[in-house]
Amino acid sequence: MKTINSYSSDSFVIEGGRELKGSVRVSGSKNASLPVILATILVKGESVIEDVPELLDVWTAVEILESLGGYVERENGRFKVNTEKISRWDVPEEIVKKMRASILCMGPLLARFGKVLIPKPGGCSIGKRPIDQHLKFFERAGGSIKEVNGFFQIEIKKKKPVEFRFDLITVTGTENALLYLSSVRGKSILKNIAIEPEVMDLINVLNKMGARIYVEGRTAEIEGNEDLKPFTHRVIPDRIEAGTLMVGAVMTSGDVILENVNVEHIGNILEKLEEAGGGVEILSKNKIRVFRKEELKPVNIETAEYPGFPTDMQAQFMSMASISKGISRIKENIFENRFHHVWELRKMGADIEVKGREAIVRGVRELRGAEVKSTDLRASASLILAGLVARGKTIIRDIYHLDRGYERLEEKLGKLGALIERLPVCVS
Ligand code: EPU
C-alpha cells in the first residue's frame, strides 16, 4: 500500500495543447466512501462496500479501522470490512494528522463504546475548520467532553434521543450526528442539516443497517436502532471527479463521454459549464457527453452548500475562467482560505485579483507552462487543468494532495489523450 510519504515527492509533467477525447468511467465518490467505511464500526460483522475509489484518504480510513481492531479485505474497489473484533476507541494521532475526516469515527465509536479518545484536528490549508458543531451535538446528546493534552475525550454514559439544530451547515458534522443517532433507540431530530449527495448516501446505508431516517428539507427525523446490522452498499459516483473531467473537456475544446455519473447530483455544475461555453448531452441517467460548444465565456460563481455550487469545484472553474473571454467573478463562501491556486495560476500567466472572499478573473488569451506547487486537493486539480491548455510544459510539485482524493486521474486523462506523466522524484 502506498502511504502519503511514498507519494510526497511525486510531480506531474504535462505537455499542454491536447484535446481531451474519448470516454472514461468516473470512480466511486471519495467523500461518500469515507463515512460509509467508518459506519461499519457501528456493527459487529462483515459489511461489503462496492466501488470504493483506491486513493490515499480511503487508505487512511482503512488504517483507522485496522488500528481499532477491524479487518479489511479489498479487491478491485470491493471492500469487505470485518468489525467483529473492534475493541479500541482511541484513534492514533498520526492518522488524524493525515486526514481531518478521521473525526467521522467519533459518532460510530461513541455509539459502540460510549466513549472516544481522538486528537484535536488542526486547521488545514483551506481554512481553520473548527469542529465546534460536532462537539456541541455530542454535548447535547449527553456527552461529557474533556480536552487532555491535545486530545478530546468524550463519554456518553446513557444514550438518549436528541433534538438538535446546527448553527451552520456542516457535511461531516451532519454525518457524525447521523452515525451516532442511528444507534439510539427513540426518535431524534436534527435541524439545519447538510443534504449533500454524500450525506444522503450515508443515510441510505444507515437505513439499510436498520435505522429509519427521513429527511424533509434540512430536517432529519431519526428512529435509531440498538441492533444495527452489517450491510452491502455501492457508493455513489464522485460528482467532483466528474466535474473536474467535464471542465477539462470544455477547456481543451474536447469531447468526452463520462460513464458512471449521477446526473441528478451535478445540476449546478452543468448549468455553469453551459454558461461557460460547454455543451452537455445527457445520454442516460448515468452517462453524459460534454464538449466545447462555443468560445469560452466568463462566469459568475458563488460557492454554497448543496444544492448550490460546490466549493470543491471552485478552483477548477477558476482555471477555466482564466482563459475565457471577459471577466469572471468567483466568490468562495464555504472556506475562508481556499484561493491558494490563484498564486500558482498567476505563475502560468493568469490575471486574477483576490479581494477578500472574491476572485476577479480577467481572461487571458493563453496560459504558459510553468513550475507550480500543489497546495490542496482541488487546487491540484485546477493546476492540472491549466497545464492541459498551457503552451509548453507544466511541472506540478507535491501532487500527493491530488492522490488523496482522485483515483488514477493521470491514467484517465492519458487515456483521453492528455500528455501527462508522473515523476516519482523531483525534477530540477
Ligand atoms: N464549520 C464550523 N464548525 C464546525 C464544522 C464546520 O465552523 O463544527 C465550518 C467550516 O470551517 C467550513 C464550513 O463550516 O467553513 C463547512 O464545513 P463542513 O463541515 O461542511 O466541511 P467538512 O465536512 O469538513 C466536507 C468535505 C469537503 C467539502 C466540504 C464542503 C468530506 C470528507 N469533506 O468537509 O471536501 O469541501 O464538506 O462541501 O466530506 C474535498 O473533498 O476536497 C473537501 C475538502
Side-chain angles (χ1 to χ4, degrees):
M1 190 206 295
K2 282 203 170 187
T3 63
I4 281 195
N5 285 338
S6 64
Y7 273 113
S8 59
S9 58
D10 287 8
S11 301
F12 276 148
V13 179
I14 303 172
E15 198 65 59
R18 294 290 196 100
E19 296 167 359
L20 295 185
K21 291 223 156 119
S23 85
V24 66
R25 184 182 184 278
V26 173
S27 300
S29 158
K30 167 188 82 99
N31 287 348
S33 296
L34 299 175
V36 172
I37 291 172
L38 297 172
T40 60
I41 297 173
L42 290 166
V43 293
K44 284 187 181 171
E46 187 175 273
S47 299
V48 177
I49 315 173
E50 290 167 349
D51 214 16
V52 181
E54 308 222 337
L55 40 84
L56 289 184
D57 277 5
V58 161
W59 303 146
T60 306
V62 167
E63 244 184 281
I64 293 178
L65 286 178
E66 291 180 344
S67 76
L68 299 169
Y71 179 73
V72 182
E73 233 180 275
R74 54 178 192 272
E75 208 186 327
N76 296 328
R78 190 167 191 270
F79 282 39
K80 278 197 217 163
V81 185
N82 195 314
T83 49
E84 195 74 50
K85 298 207 168 101
I86 285 198
S87 56
R88 304 184 68 113
W89 55 85
D90 54 325
V91 191
E93 190 169 11
E94 62 275 13
I95 300 185
V96 179
K97 270 193 193 149
K98 276 193 240 179
M99 180 177 79
R100 287 182 56 82
S102 310
I103 53 168
L104 279 171
C105 61
M106 280 172 148
L109 286 172
L110 282 163
R112 183 153 170 173
F113 298 108
K115 48 190 166 185
V116 63
L117 183 68
I118 187 164
K120 267 175 89 168
C124 83
S125 61
I126 61 175
K128 288 197 282 295
R129 305 183 77 178
I131 59 161
D132 56 299
Q133 296 300 305
H134 302 241
L135 298 175
K136 208 168 164 183
F137 164 76
F138 289 122
E139 206 160 31
R140 172 66 62 83
S144 72
I145 303 175
K146 282 190 204 139
E147 239 187 280
V148 189
N149 298 330
F151 279 72
F152 286 121
Q153 190 180 320
I154 312 179
E155 202 169 334
I156 299 181
K157 289 228 161 67
K158 192 169 164 16
K159 288 184 184 177
K160 56 166 196 204
V162 179
E163 189 167 331
F164 180 77
R165 184 184 169 83
F166 289 98
D167 300 329
L168 51 81
I169 297 169
T170 155
V171 173
T172 47
T174 301
E175 290 168 346
N176 240 338
L178 289 168
L179 284 158
Y180 174 72
L181 290 175
S182 295
S183 76
V184 178
R185 192 144 53 97
K187 189 162 92 181
S188 294
I189 293 178
L190 291 175
K191 292 186 178 156
N192 201 26
I193 60 164
I195 49 168
E196 266 64 4
E198 296 75 21
V199 175
M200 302 313 281
D201 201 39
L202 174 66
I203 290 178
N204 214 339
V205 169
L206 295 169
N207 283 339
K208 282 184 187 176
M209 294 170 88
R212 290 281 161 264
I213 305 176
Y214 308 93
V215 176
E216 208 181 305
R218 290 207 177 269
T219 300
E221 206 177 284
I222 303 116
E223 213 34 90
N225 182 343
E226 286 169 308
D227 190 25
L228 294 169
K229 299 275 183 292
F231 60 90
T232 295
H233 184 71
R234 170 171 286 262
V235 293
I236 53 171
D238 197 307
R239 63 191 168 109
I240 306 302
E241 186 201 319
T244 304
L245 291 165
M246 293 190 299
V247 172
V250 174
M251 276 179 85
T252 62
S253 304
D255 192 338
V256 171
I257 290 177
L258 295 165
E259 286 169 38
N260 194 40
V261 286
N262 185 330
V263 291
E264 284 173 18
H265 295 167
I266 51 177
N268 222 302
I269 302 174
L270 293 180
E271 199 180 293
K272 287 293 167 192
L273 206 62
E274 288 186 307
E275 228 177 282
V280 174
E281 192 183 343
I282 311 276
L283 301 173
S284 75
K285 224 166 69 208
N286 310 105
K287 200 167 166 180
I288 189 170
R289 175 180 162 227
V290 176
F291 52 99
R292 166 75 79 80
K293 194 171 166 193
E294 300 158 13
E295 191 179 43
L296 285 182
K297 291 197 283 279
V299 282
N300 288 334
I301 288 176
E302 280 209 27
T303 63
E305 296 87 2
Y306 190 84
F309 186 88
T311 171
D312 293 344
M313 283 302 302
Q314 178 256 105
Q316 300 88 320
F317 268 77
M318 196 173 309
S319 271
M320 182 156 62
S322 69
I323 52 160
S324 64
K325 205 170 178 192
I327 300 176
S328 299
R329 288 175 191 276
I330 300 182
K331 189 159 180 222
E332 174 55 59
N333 289 319
I334 304 294
F335 292 106
E336 68 276 16
N337 196 15
R338 208 174 197 185
F339 279 149
H340 291 291
H341 43 285
V342 167
W343 284 263
E344 304 307 305
L345 288 171
R346 278 186 190 156
K347 291 181 191 161
M348 301 177 74
D351 180 353
I352 309 171
E353 184 187 352
V354 174
K355 285 189 180 160
R357 281 187 174 241
E358 192 171 68
I360 297 142
V361 189
R362 294 180 188 86
V364 295
R365 208 170 51 81
E366 69 171 9
L367 296 175
R368 49 177 191 275
E371 187 173 330
V372 290
K373 192 167 154 31
S374 125
T375 49
D376 64 77
L377 172 55
R378 308 304 170 186
S380 316
S382 78
L383 297 176
I384 291 176
L385 295 174
L388 293 178
V389 295
R391 183 164 41 89
K393 189 189 279 185
T394 298
I395 299 171
I396 309 175
R397 304 274 188 216
D398 285 349
I399 49 97
Y400 79 86
H401 291 288
L402 188 96
D403 294 324
R404 287 187 53 182
Y406 285 90
E407 184 181 48
R408 295 191 284 274
L409 187 64
E410 79 267 31
E411 257 177 63
K412 293 186 184 188
L413 290 172
K415 194 175 152 236
L416 293 174
L419 289 177
I420 177 167
E421 198 189 341
R422 178 186 288 265
L423 294 187
V425 285
C426 288
V427 286
S428 53

